[in-house]
């Protein structure tokens, strides 16, 4: 499917670094580092989200230690892992701002994009209705991120009626899910990431610049 234009992709996270940043890769002479961020849910469970940040952002706050609280503003990015190790689709949050502060955990995502595969409507063993979708979210320069999305209940029924090529806006959260994969000679535990849709939004509202403000007082900003 040919994609044109740039879609909305805004992410705000607040949580604790599970490990200090580790070197990931170098691109155009810029070094990038990744670290897992643990973000609590209201249910008491937690999501562990991969964050990617350039060296300059991390050096600006004196690096990050394990357990340190940080707010991340950026966007969700995807790439295909062709190494054969781990999940094929790698989803992370590309950090554009880091803010050291202590406050409640937050996981908020604002997206607009295009439905690029037929939605899959199904029921869980407990009888809840669920809909799986893949949303193509355009970046600049002709690239796009392909994000797995999930909706529940009445929202799942609405999503299930959409056709391939439909444009939609949404807000939600980026959640992690642990599962086991049978590799024949062994069983391996893996983590999958998906966008949990909370609301569908008018495209005009998303594209006209609806913001996701950072709340709370800072201890240090970049």
């Amino acid at each position: 499917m040919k994609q044109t234009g740039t879609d909305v992709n805004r992410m705000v996270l607040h949580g604790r670094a599970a490990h200090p940043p580790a070197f990931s890769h170098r691109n155009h002479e810029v070094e990038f580092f990744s670290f897992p961020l643990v973000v609590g849910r209201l249910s008491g469970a937690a999501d562990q989200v991969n964050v990617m940040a350039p060296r300059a952002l991390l050096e600006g706050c004196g690096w990050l230690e394990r357990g340190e609280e940080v707010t991340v503003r950026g966007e969700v990015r995807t790439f295909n892992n062709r190494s054969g190790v781990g999940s094929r689709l790698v989803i992370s949050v590309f950090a554009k701002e880091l803010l050291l502060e202590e406050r409640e955990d937050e996981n908020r995502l604002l997206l607009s994009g295009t439905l690029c595969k037929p939605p899959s409507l199904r029921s869980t063993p407990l009888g809840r209705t669920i809909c799986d979708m893949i949303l193509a979210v355009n970046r600049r320069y002709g690239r796009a991120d392909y994000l797995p999305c999930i909706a529940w209940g009445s929202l799942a029924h609405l999503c299930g009626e959409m056709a391939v090529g439909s444009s939609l806006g949404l807000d939600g959260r980026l959640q992690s899910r642990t599962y086991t994969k049978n590799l024949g000679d062994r069983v391996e535990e893996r983590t999958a990431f998906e966008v949990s849709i909370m609301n569908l939004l008018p495209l005009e509202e998303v594209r006209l610049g609806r913001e996701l403000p950072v709340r709370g007082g800072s201890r240090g900003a970049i």
Side-chain angles (χ1 to χ4, degrees):
M1 179 184 301
K2 184 178 180 180
Q3 302 290 321
T4 59
T6 303
D7 289 318
V8 174
N9 185 338
R10 300 193 191 103
M11 181 91 235
V12 175
L13 292 170
H14 180 85
R16 287 150 299 284
H19 300 288
F23 178 76
S24 171
H25 65 283
R26 183 191 299 269
N27 187 27
H28 298 296
E29 303 304 318
V30 177
E31 291 184 339
F32 291 88
F33 294 77
S34 64
F35 63 93
L37 189 71
V38 178
V39 183
R41 299 186 191 178
L42 292 177
S43 64
D47 295 298
Q48 183 163 296
V49 180
N50 297 317
V51 177
M52 191 77 63
R55 175 184 285 275
L57 278 185
L58 293 165
E59 289 181 341
C61 64
W63 224 250
L64 285 172
E65 301 296 333
R66 180 177 180 179
E68 191 165 20
E69 287 191 48
V70 61
T71 296
V72 180
R73 291 177 68 94
E75 58 188 42
V76 182
R77 296 275 182 90
T78 64
F79 75 91
N80 287 318
N81 177 13
R82 295 184 171 87
S83 70
V85 179
S87 301
R88 182 178 179 184
L89 181 67
V90 178
I91 301 178
S92 59
V93 175
F94 180 79
K96 295 184 176 181
E97 297 179 35
L98 297 177
L99 182 68
L100 298 180
E101 61 180 355
E102 295 179 356
R103 63 179 182 84
E104 293 183 356
D105 286 6
E106 186 172 8
N107 185 337
R108 302 172 64 203
L109 177 60
L110 186 67
L111 288 175
S112 68
T114 304
L115 191 64
C116 61
K117 289 186 178 180
S120 174
L121 192 65
R122 56 189 173 87
S123 296
T124 69
L126 295 178
R128 294 189 66 188
T129 304
I130 187 172
C131 184
D132 297 298
M133 304 185 297
I134 301 293
L135 191 68
V137 180
N138 295 321
R139 298 189 212 169
R140 295 180 180 178
Y141 312 116
R143 301 190 63 181
D145 296 291
Y146 295 88
L147 300 175
C149 301
I150 188 169
W152 299 84
S154 59
L155 194 58
H157 285 287
L158 288 175
C159 293
E161 296 173 354
M162 295 181 179
V164 172
S166 297
S167 296
L168 67 149
L170 62 90
D171 68 10
R173 71 173 189 268
L174 179 61
Q175 65 182 20
S176 61
R177 173 174 52 84
T178 302
Y179 67 99
T180 56
K181 185 174 181 63
N182 191 333
L183 301 176
D185 59 337
R186 70 186 189 282
V187 174
E188 187 175 278
E189 186 175 276
R190 295 185 177 181
T191 301
F193 298 91
E194 58 200 5
V195 176
S196 179
I197 302 173
M198 310 305 293
N199 298 289
L200 295 178
L201 302 173
L203 286 174
E204 294 77 10
E205 181 179 351
V206 177
R207 291 171 177 168
L208 286 176
R210 173 171 167 168
E211 295 294 335
L212 293 175
V214 173
R215 304 187 183 95
S218 65
R219 294 188 284 117
I222 301 170

